[in-house]
Amino acid sequence: SLVDKLSQQYKYFHWELEFTDIFDRNQGFDLVLGNPPWLKVQWQEGGILGDHNPMFVLRKFSASKMNILREKTLLESKTLGKVYLKEFIESSGTQNFLNSIQNYPLLEGQKANLYKCFIPQAWMITNLEGITGYLHPDGIYDVPTGGDFREKIYPRLRSHFQFVNVKLLFPEIMIWITYSINIYGKVREKIKFKSISNLYSPKTIDLSMEHSGIGIVGGMKDENEN
């Protein structure tokens, strides 16, 4: 059937079915850790058209020029046209699913980014005492349309350790990009969490927690300019 064919193609995953014993005995996971993908879900036709003509990737065409070249390129290759349409349908379907308030009500009004979708998913699959530790961008804390989401985040937030990528711990992104380690737990009536900002190295977290608090407050760099 079509359902069986699609399930084999897309590998749909159902947590409750895959881990029935854990949800039955433990009502979910005790601990969820991860670095969810920092990926905006959007249609990118350049990569598909670039397989036929690399100029679509190497150059930035205006919208009008792109329309002309797209039509010309698709007419040149019937095979490319089928692949293009298939990829467009899959991309649109994924966007509609991730932007649906029925699936992710807490993300209503925000542009779909996969790491955001992972956060409420973790809350769903952990039990009442479960802990989630995620490394992800800091966009959830300042996006103007994310107020409703933040109302749910802060009562669960235990720790927020923000990094600036100066030491290129992630060499594939720019040095000024910020991201953070975020620890979430069960909902508390009183919002209370630890927060450190402008970190360069993870070891600074442990050093700060272990420090007695006595002495001169250090700066952004040590005496060796590190």
Side-chain angles (χ1 to χ4, degrees):
S1 68
L2 180 59
V3 172
D4 291 332
K5 179 182 177 181
L6 293 176
S7 66
Q8 290 298 317
Q9 180 178 351
Y10 296 108
K11 308 297 182 184
Y12 299 122
F13 190 87
H14 301 277
W15 290 90
E16 295 88 345
L17 297 179
E18 294 291 336
F19 301 100
T20 305
D21 54 336
I22 292 176
F23 283 93
D24 180 50
R25 297 196 312 265
N26 206 46
Q27 288 74 57
F29 293 92
D30 295 322
L31 179 65
V32 173
L33 298 175
N35 176 11
W38 311 358
L39 182 63
K40 292 181 180 179
V41 181
Q42 55 190 1
W43 168 237
Q44 295 180 330
E45 62 181 351
I48 300 166
L49 296 174
D51 290 339
H52 181 79
N53 183 350
M55 289 297 102
F56 283 103
V57 178
L58 299 176
R59 294 183 180 178
K60 291 185 178 180
F61 296 113
S62 64
S64 58
K65 181 69 172 178
M66 188 70 168
N67 289 337
I68 296 172
L69 290 176
R70 182 195 303 111
E71 182 178 1
K72 182 174 182 288
T73 302
L74 293 176
L75 289 174
E76 289 175 353
S77 173
K78 292 183 179 180
T79 302
L80 178 62
K82 291 180 180 179
V83 173
Y84 181 94
L85 183 59
K86 179 176 178 292
E87 292 292 334
F88 177 75
I89 291 172
E90 290 186 7
S91 177
S92 296
T94 301
Q95 281 183 294
N96 288 334
F97 180 88
L98 297 178
N99 285 317
S100 170
I101 61 173
Q102 290 83 1
N103 297 320
Y104 296 96
L106 297 180
L107 302 180
E108 183 178 5
Q110 301 185 56
K111 292 183 179 180
N113 192 308
L114 288 181
Y115 85 85
K116 294 180 182 179
C117 299
F118 271 69
I119 298 172
Q121 183 70 40
W123 299 343
M124 186 186 77
I125 63 176
T126 51
N127 56 41
L128 292 178
E129 299 297 325
I131 297 294
T132 300
Y134 274 162
L135 179 74
H136 60 64
D138 253 13
I140 57 173
Y141 297 110
D142 57 20
V143 61
T145 56
D148 291 340
F149 195 24
R150 286 190 286 274
E151 284 186 7
K152 302 299 182 182
I153 286 175
Y154 284 123
R156 292 178 177 273
L157 192 61
R158 300 291 183 271
S159 298
H160 169 252
F161 303 129
Q162 182 206 62
F163 290 80
V164 183
N165 198 40
V166 170
K167 287 189 173 293
L168 296 178
L169 301 181
F170 289 90
E172 64 274 17
I173 61 176
M174 298 297 182
I175 63 172
W176 58 80
I177 299 295
T178 59
Y179 52 88
S180 55
I181 295 174
N182 300 270
I183 309 299
Y184 306 103
K186 68 178 181 180
V187 175
R188 288 175 172 173
E189 290 187 9
K190 184 178 180 180
I191 296 173
K192 182 180 179 181
F193 58 90
K194 297 182 177 70
S195 182
I196 305 177
S197 298
N198 296 319
L199 290 163
Y200 294 165
S201 172
K203 70 179 182 181
T204 306
I205 301 173
D206 292 331
L207 293 173
S208 298
M209 297 298 179
E210 295 168 359
H211 198 278
S212 65
I214 299 174
I216 299 173
V217 177
M220 294 289 288
K221 297 181 180 181
D222 61 20
E223 62 275 7
N224 298 317
E225 292 297 307
N226 294 317

